[in-house]
Amino acid sequence: MDILSRVRRLREEEDSLKWEGTFAEYLQIIKERPEVAQTAHSRVYNMIKSSGVEERDGKKMYHFFGKEIFGLESALERLVEEYFHPAARRLDVRKRILLLMGPVSGGKSTIVTLLKRGLEQYSRTDEGAVYAIKGCPMHEDPLHLIPQHLREDFYKEFGIRIEGSLSPLNTMRLEQDYGGRIEDVKIERIFFSEDRRVGIGTFTPSDPKSQDIADLTGSIDFSTIAEFGSESDPRAYRFDGELNKANRGMMEFQEMLKLDEKFLWHLLSLTQEGNFKAGRFALISADELIVAHTNETEYRAFISNKKNEALHSRIIVMPIPYNLKVREEERIYEKMIRESDMAHVHIAPHALRAAAIFSVLTRLETPKKQGIDLIKKMKLYDGENVEGFNSVDVQDLKNEYPNEGMNGIDPRYIINRISSAIIRKEVPSINALDVLRSLKDGLNQHASISDEDREKYMNYIAVARKEYDEIAKNEVQKAFVYSYEESAKHLMNNYLDNVEAFCNKNKLRDPITGEEMNPDEKLMRSIEEQIGVSENAKRAFREEILIRLSAFARKGKRFDYNSHERLREAIQKKLFADLKDVVKITTSSKTPDEAQLKKINEVVARLIDEHGYDSNSANELLRYVGSLLNR
């Protein structure tokens, strides 16, 4: 019953938003709130901005897309700043069709769906309120009622530009129903809805032989011709095509480039002049954002056809590549799993990461930059620190291949293979090895992959497995460390004492005997070598640590275990290296003694409580790491 009360409350809220009045009253509204009279492109841009924008690493992050689109920050910034923003300012790009081009399952349809759902919600807010001539099937802009010769004066008084002419139907209604008195014309607030065909339209190509142009522009209602006497009487016409219904909002052209040419001709006038031809009427004005999407192969075929030159010049192409960040790819899989019937299955930690490493590798181009391989490139793209490289190198790598990410394995394939792994294993838990095995099996059945790509992808699965092996070993070794944080802090403080003495050329005092001694070079190197600090670079590294230590002290902050990322990594690896033999013996013993069994149970409990495993996947992880350490 709670859901019914919520539905009732929602209905009451919608009723409270409704408004109806005369054109004279509407003018009063736009005098107080000029944003009500904004164009379709402006409304979309302001809708995106209203959700919030933040700058991160020099990139604008739009919260509007944040919960559904992952790893496409650059593409989305370009979409908003190079299309929606100038279009909202009435620059010429608003007279172009927006074509999202990219590989399958790359996020094109999701972006369009977000814009549609967003407009539906935004039209229910004060900032996004939309008003139309009451009873108009095209939800026409009330300002079209202002005669052409008065529009310059209107702009001077209201600061609002009026574009477009009154439609044939409303021209007739103005004369017949209102005697030409525009101030009395009824105006109503409308709410965008794709289901109700208000301000949002979708056009899907079908068989060219059976598809009718009326699907786009409406059609004559032959049953009313006897009543109204002529096909050119607007009352005898159904203004119910997708272009009619999408007026004031947006229309999605699904697979636009598959359409027959005669359908695309209507877009030439609509994009450039803001009107289209329907029936035996003068040109009909329409203010709408037209979004289409296609893949790269179809787009190349389209532009190679000379017949399409006129339309091609009226298209702005926005590439939507695959995501190239491992962490964001994991989020894509998590989202797809949440939306599926697999949500009840326990997926062990790092299983999705292993799959993400594989899929991102298939999308990356081999770097030309010296000293960097595909793995390092992947890690740099993911925001990880790679010795000897910085953010400038990341930008250089991106500049090498501007269209990187337009090929590779798509997220749907990964989810399909995860589903297959779940069904095959018939247990409520799967791990990284199950996923990688399923991916490998699937490549042999993937008809669209060439033999060359298949061999390359098989190598990437091996690379993903190798990366997972390191993750798995670290995970188990970390779980074996009793009071891990305390051990790490103790080792770090010991290291810092020695570094401080080394840099200041001082001696240390033994805490037990009290005698003076030199800094422990062996200890310091055993830690520094874990992260590849060479003998020649050790002084610079230690001085960097000391500078960081002093900076924290000046600011009254405490330098702790998490204050220096590379030092923390070195401490972890040193602890793991010291524990390796203990882990090896305990995990690989076929008949563990009582002490070993107790230790195993403690580790399993820690993996479950602190690392997100279930009992099944924790025990599988231990067995696997034991076999790795014994190789």
Side-chain angles (χ1 to χ4, degrees), residues 420-526:
S420 177
I422 290 168
I423 291 163
R424 182 171 53 193
K425 199 172 180 190
E426 294 182 344
V427 292
S429 168
I430 61 166
N431 58 36
L433 296 178
D434 297 321
V435 172
L436 290 174
R437 198 177 296 116
S438 184
L439 289 173
K440 186 177 180 181
D441 294 344
L443 289 177
N444 293 320
Q445 304 158 18
H446 207 303
S448 63
I449 295 178
S450 67
D451 290 341
E452 184 185 348
D453 281 344
R454 187 175 288 109
E455 187 179 345
K456 189 168 64 173
Y457 292 172
M458 286 292 188
N459 289 334
Y460 292 153
I461 287 176
V463 172
R465 166 90 177 253
K466 193 175 174 185
E467 289 293 305
Y468 171 70
D469 287 352
E470 290 305 309
I471 293 169
K473 282 189 281 189
N474 286 347
E475 194 94 314
V476 170
Q477 288 168 343
K478 192 184 291 186
F480 260 87
V481 180
Y482 180 73
S483 189
Y484 173 72
E485 291 290 330
E486 287 305 312
S487 303
K489 286 173 187 174
H490 178 74
L491 184 57
M492 188 197 72
N493 288 331
N494 198 356
Y495 174 78
L496 291 176
D497 289 342
N498 280 277
V499 162
E500 201 167 359
F502 172 86
C503 292
N504 295 328
K505 297 180 180 174
N506 293 332
K507 289 190 179 291
L508 289 166
R509 192 172 294 279
D510 188 297
I512 299 171
T513 65
E515 66 177 298
E516 287 190 336
M517 54 187 183
N518 291 322
D520 190 342
E521 183 66 21
K522 189 177 177 183
L523 169 74
M524 290 188 286
R525 291 302 293 141
S526 71

Side-chain angles (χ1 to χ4, degrees), residues 16-290:
S16 69
L17 292 175
K18 289 178 181 176
W19 180 91
E20 187 180 313
T22 64
F23 182 65
E25 291 169 324
Y26 172 70
L27 286 181
Q28 203 54 46
I29 290 174
I30 63 170
K31 198 160 195 172
E32 295 168 10
R33 291 160 49 212
E35 69 276 6
V36 164
Q38 64 190 322
T39 63
H41 288 83
S42 176
R43 189 171 291 110
V44 172
Y45 175 65
N46 288 325
M47 169 192 75
I48 293 169
K49 274 207 320 178
S50 69
S51 294
V53 187
E54 69 174 278
E55 204 151 313
R56 199 184 301 162
D57 301 325
K59 295 280 182 191
K60 286 186 178 176
M61 315 285 284
Y62 297 92
H63 295 170
F64 178 81
F65 301 103
K67 292 180 181 176
E68 297 288 330
I69 306 287
F70 308 111
L72 296 182
E73 294 82 12
S74 296
L76 292 172
E77 182 179 20
R78 186 179 169 197
L79 173 65
V80 175
E81 295 304 320
E82 292 185 22
Y83 183 80
F84 287 126
H85 191 182
R89 298 293 177 89
R90 296 179 186 263
L91 291 171
D92 216 44
V93 295
R94 73 195 173 101
K95 297 177 180 179
R96 307 287 183 271
I97 298 166
L98 174 61
L99 179 64
L100 305 179
M101 180 191 69
V104 294
S105 191
K108 304 184 299 294
S109 299
T110 306
I111 290 170
V112 176
T113 301
L114 281 173
L115 292 173
K116 287 179 180 178
R117 299 295 86 84
L119 277 174
E120 289 179 343
Q121 294 303 317
Y122 194 58
S123 68
R124 286 163 172 76
T125 66
D126 289 342
E127 316 90 73
V130 189
Y131 295 81
I133 296 172
K134 188 178 181 186
C136 173
M138 285 184 59
H139 335 293
E140 187 164 10
D141 185 348
L143 294 183
H144 286 180
L145 291 162
I146 303 287
Q148 292 284 349
H149 64 279
L150 293 178
R151 290 186 178 182
E152 192 59 38
D153 294 334
F154 181 86
Y155 175 67
K156 288 174 184 175
E157 183 180 347
F158 287 81
I160 297 170
R161 294 189 188 279
I162 304 173
E163 295 177 353
S165 304
L166 198 61
S167 67
L169 180 62
N170 285 322
T171 300
M172 176 178 281
R173 290 176 62 204
L174 176 61
E175 294 304 319
Q176 293 188 357
D177 299 348
Y178 298 100
R181 297 184 309 278
I182 66 169
E183 63 273 23
D184 294 339
V185 174
K186 291 289 184 187
I187 309 298
E188 64 179 347
R189 183 174 178 182
I190 61 169
F191 306 100
F192 288 160
S193 168
E194 185 174 19
D195 293 340
R196 296 171 188 166
R197 303 187 74 211
V198 179
I200 297 175
T202 302
F203 188 82
T204 307
S206 60
D207 182 0
K209 293 177 183 176
S210 61
Q211 190 150 36
D212 190 348
I213 199 71
D215 295 343
L216 265 186
T217 60
S219 60
I220 297 165
D221 185 352
F222 289 101
S223 66
T224 60
I225 290 176
E227 181 183 351
F228 299 119
S230 169
E231 290 182 17
S232 59
D233 190 310
R235 292 169 299 179
Y237 196 85
R238 293 193 185 103
F239 293 90
D240 60 357
E242 294 303 321
L243 290 179
N244 307 106
K245 293 299 183 182
N247 187 34
R248 312 295 300 288
M250 68 173 281
M251 192 186 81
E252 175 190 7
F253 261 95
Q254 294 182 347
E255 303 296 341
M256 183 184 84
L257 304 186
K258 289 179 180 173
L259 281 168
D260 189 70
E261 286 178 8
K262 66 180 179 180
F263 288 88
L264 299 178
W265 292 336
H266 283 274
L267 303 181
L268 296 176
S269 174
L270 179 60
T271 51
Q272 192 61 38
E273 309 299 335
N275 51 45
F276 63 92
K277 183 72 176 164
R280 298 178 180 179
F281 308 115
L283 291 168
I284 296 174
S285 296
D287 170 32
E288 55 196 83
L289 160 68
I290 298 177

Side-chain angles (χ1 to χ4, degrees), residues 270-500:
L270 179 60
T271 51
Q272 192 61 38
E273 309 299 335
N275 51 45
F276 63 92
K277 183 72 176 164
R280 298 178 180 179
F281 308 115
L283 291 168
I284 296 174
S285 296
D287 170 32
E288 55 196 83
L289 160 68
I290 298 177
V291 187
H293 41 87
T294 189
N295 60 53
E296 193 170 6
T297 306
E298 284 179 352
Y299 176 69
R300 299 295 168 210
F302 172 76
I303 60 174
S304 65
N305 186 346
K306 295 292 181 184
K307 288 182 181 178
N308 298 325
E309 282 183 354
L311 186 60
H312 182 227
S313 68
R314 289 172 171 83
I315 291 175
I316 283 196
V317 180
M318 285 289 164
I320 307 295
Y322 284 132
N323 157 62
L324 299 175
K325 296 177 182 175
V326 172
R327 262 176 279 192
E328 298 299 318
E329 190 72 10
E330 282 186 83
R331 293 180 69 194
I332 293 171
Y333 302 154
E334 285 165 1
K335 170 181 167 272
M336 293 172 86
I337 288 166
R338 275 198 308 272
E339 293 170 352
S340 73
D341 291 335
M342 295 190 292
H344 66 286
V345 177
H346 179 80
I347 297 176
H350 313 298
L352 298 183
R353 182 168 184 80
I357 288 170
F358 163 70
S359 53
V360 168
L361 285 173
T362 68
R363 301 167 190 171
L364 293 176
E365 302 288 349
T366 305
K368 300 172 186 173
K369 198 176 182 72
Q370 201 168 4
I372 190 160
D373 57 19
L374 218 52
I375 294 295
K376 286 180 181 175
K377 182 178 185 177
M378 177 190 77
K379 290 181 177 179
L380 283 168
Y381 275 15
D382 205 33
E384 291 185 44
N385 286 320
V386 176
E387 184 74 27
F389 297 95
N390 55 35
S391 58
V392 176
D393 296 301
V394 175
Q395 194 53 53
D396 289 344
L397 288 168
K398 290 179 179 176
N399 293 339
E400 285 181 351
Y401 300 99
N403 292 322
E404 190 172 41
M406 299 300 277
N407 296 294
I409 292 291
D410 65 279
R412 284 194 198 120
Y413 171 79
I414 302 293
I415 292 299
N416 291 344
R417 298 315 303 166
I418 291 173
S419 305
S420 177
I422 290 168
I423 291 163
R424 182 171 53 193
K425 199 172 180 190
E426 294 182 344
V427 292
S429 168
I430 61 166
N431 58 36
L433 296 178
D434 297 321
V435 172
L436 290 174
R437 198 177 296 116
S438 184
L439 289 173
K440 186 177 180 181
D441 294 344
L443 289 177
N444 293 320
Q445 304 158 18
H446 207 303
S448 63
I449 295 178
S450 67
D451 290 341
E452 184 185 348
D453 281 344
R454 187 175 288 109
E455 187 179 345
K456 189 168 64 173
Y457 292 172
M458 286 292 188
N459 289 334
Y460 292 153
I461 287 176
V463 172
R465 166 90 177 253
K466 193 175 174 185
E467 289 293 305
Y468 171 70
D469 287 352
E470 290 305 309
I471 293 169
K473 282 189 281 189
N474 286 347
E475 194 94 314
V476 170
Q477 288 168 343
K478 192 184 291 186
F480 260 87
V481 180
Y482 180 73
S483 189
Y484 173 72
E485 291 290 330
E486 287 305 312
S487 303
K489 286 173 187 174
H490 178 74
L491 184 57
M492 188 197 72
N493 288 331
N494 198 356
Y495 174 78
L496 291 176
D497 289 342
N498 280 277
V499 162
E500 201 167 359

Side-chain angles (χ1 to χ4, degrees), residues 545-571:
I545 296 291
L546 195 61
I547 289 167
R548 181 76 66 90
L549 201 63
S550 303
F552 269 70
R554 281 199 309 274
K555 293 175 184 174
K557 293 181 181 178
R558 185 170 170 272
F559 188 95
D560 63 22
Y561 175 60
N562 294 307
S563 298
H564 194 285
E565 195 172 326
R566 292 192 67 218
L567 178 57
R568 184 182 67 210
E569 183 188 350
I571 297 287

